[in-house]
């Protein structure tokens, strides 16, 4: 069915679309309807320009910050996880890390993990070391996986090699948590979500990780264990 409406038309003094307004108002059903009608998730929210004065009603600094906002940024400001999920499902991107910056500022680890997981991609060059994974998964000296037993490889082991690009996230990222790595791997190996008790095994899918040019002061021990 073709939508007869121009869902991406700017309104409210040419500053935002209907999708932006729905997200700001936390209207999940309207947001869903607009997305299903083909609304663009990545259009920016514009600063209001007073035509009579020929000047923006915002200061230069406010105009710069406001003009960079998107629906995903607004959803993160609202800490609206259902709408964030909806936007990501429909192709919302955070290439300039504005949404991630909001999540980090709010210390919202759920949103941080969710946004970082979108920066995981299938590795076209390297493969998962299946031999090492199956040999070490039940080793007593590998505490991260000590609770994982009796696994069927085809059902519970990851098969999609994952490279994670967290280079220069522009959000004062000072730490990397093991759960964030797990969530990034699960993003490309969703079948593992069926067995929450075995989530840790998803770490073995990580073949490359770039965390350069951030403000990291520590990294999880799990990274060194996976280099065995």
């Amino acid at each position: 069915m073709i939508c007869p409406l121009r869902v991406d038309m700017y309104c409210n003094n040419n500053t935002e679309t209907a999708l932006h307004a729905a997200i700001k108002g936390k209207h999940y059903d309207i947001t869903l309807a607009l997305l299903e009608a083909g609304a663009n998730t990545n259009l920016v929210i514009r600063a209001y320009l007073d035509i009579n004065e020929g000047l923006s009603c915002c200061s230069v600094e406010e105009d710069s910050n406001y003009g960079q906002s998107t629906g995903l940024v607004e959803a993160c400001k609202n800490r609206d996880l259902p709408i964030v999920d909806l936007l990501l499902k429909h192709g919302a991107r955070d290439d300039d890390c504005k949404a991630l910056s909001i999540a980090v500022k709010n210390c919202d680890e759920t949103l941080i993990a969710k946004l970082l997981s979108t920066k995981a991609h299938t590795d076209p060059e390297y493969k998962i070391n299946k031999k090492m994974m199956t040999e070490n998964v039940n080793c007593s000296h590998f505490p991260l996986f000590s609770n994982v037993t009796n696994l069927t490889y085809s059902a519970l082991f990851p098969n999609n090699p994952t490279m994670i690009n967290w280079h220069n996230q522009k959000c004062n990222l000072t730490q990397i948590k093991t759960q964030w790595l797990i969530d990034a791997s699960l993003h490309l190996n969703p079948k593992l979500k069926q067995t929450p008790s075995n989530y840790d095994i998803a770490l073995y899918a990580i073949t490359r990780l770039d965390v350069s040019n951030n403000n990291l002061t520590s990294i999880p021990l799990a990274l060194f264990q996976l280099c065995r």
Side-chain angles (χ1 to χ4, degrees):
M1 181 176 179
I2 299 176
C3 178
L5 305 176
R6 292 178 58 187
V7 293
D8 289 332
M9 177 182 287
Y10 276 82
C11 54
N12 293 343
N13 293 307
N14 202 36
T15 60
E16 62 186 9
T17 67
L19 180 62
H20 294 142
I23 292 169
K24 288 181 178 180
K26 302 182 180 181
H27 301 303
Y28 181 90
D29 291 340
I30 297 176
T31 300
L32 175 60
L34 288 167
L35 290 172
E36 290 182 341
N40 189 332
T41 58
N42 294 304
L43 293 179
V44 299
I45 297 174
R46 301 169 179 169
Y48 169 59
L49 183 66
D50 190 328
I51 299 177
N52 294 324
E53 296 183 6
L55 296 173
S56 170
C57 67
C58 304
S59 68
V60 173
E61 181 179 1
E62 290 173 337
D63 178 70
S64 175
N65 291 333
Y66 190 71
Q68 293 297 318
S69 188
T70 63
L72 186 59
V73 170
E74 295 302 319
C76 287
K77 287 180 181 178
N78 289 339
R79 307 183 84 162
D80 194 333
L81 187 58
I83 286 185
V84 169
D85 282 334
L86 198 57
L87 291 170
L88 292 176
K89 180 181 178 182
H90 285 81
R93 299 174 60 88
D94 187 37
D95 294 335
D96 56 4
C97 303
K98 291 287 185 178
L100 182 59
S101 295
I102 296 295
V104 170
K105 182 179 179 180
N106 291 336
C107 299
D108 192 324
E109 293 194 8
T110 300
L111 279 179
I112 292 172
K114 191 169 293 292
L115 292 169
L116 285 176
S117 70
T118 65
K119 301 173 189 291
H121 310 281
T122 299
D123 192 332
E125 298 181 20
Y126 293 93
K127 297 181 180 180
I128 298 172
N129 189 335
K130 297 180 180 179
K131 183 176 184 295
M132 182 188 72
M133 179 168 57
T134 53
E135 286 179 352
N136 288 319
V137 70
N138 290 317
C139 287
S140 59
H141 62 273
F142 209 103
L144 190 61
F145 299 102
S146 60
N147 63 330
V148 182
T149 58
N150 300 323
L151 295 180
T152 302
Y153 184 88
S154 61
L156 298 176
F157 280 15
N159 57 16
N160 197 359
T162 303
M163 60 179 185
I164 299 174
N165 182 12
W166 292 346
H167 167 78
N168 190 22
Q169 291 304 289
K170 307 173 186 176
C171 63
N172 194 32
L173 192 65
T174 60
Q175 62 178 327
I176 298 293
K177 296 200 171 184
T178 301
Q179 187 59 49
W180 301 351
L181 296 169
I182 292 173
D183 289 346
S185 180
L186 289 174
H187 183 66
L188 295 180
N189 292 278
K191 69 176 183 179
L192 298 182
K193 295 180 181 180
Q194 299 174 9
T195 312
S197 61
N198 295 333
Y199 276 5
D200 288 344
I201 198 69
L203 287 171
Y204 270 117
I206 299 174
T207 51
R208 281 190 280 183
L209 172 65
D210 184 355
V211 293
S212 59
N213 204 20
N214 289 297
N215 297 320
L216 298 178
T217 57
S218 63
I219 57 177
L221 180 61
L223 287 181
F224 297 99
Q225 292 173 321
L226 292 174
C227 293
R228 293 167 58 86

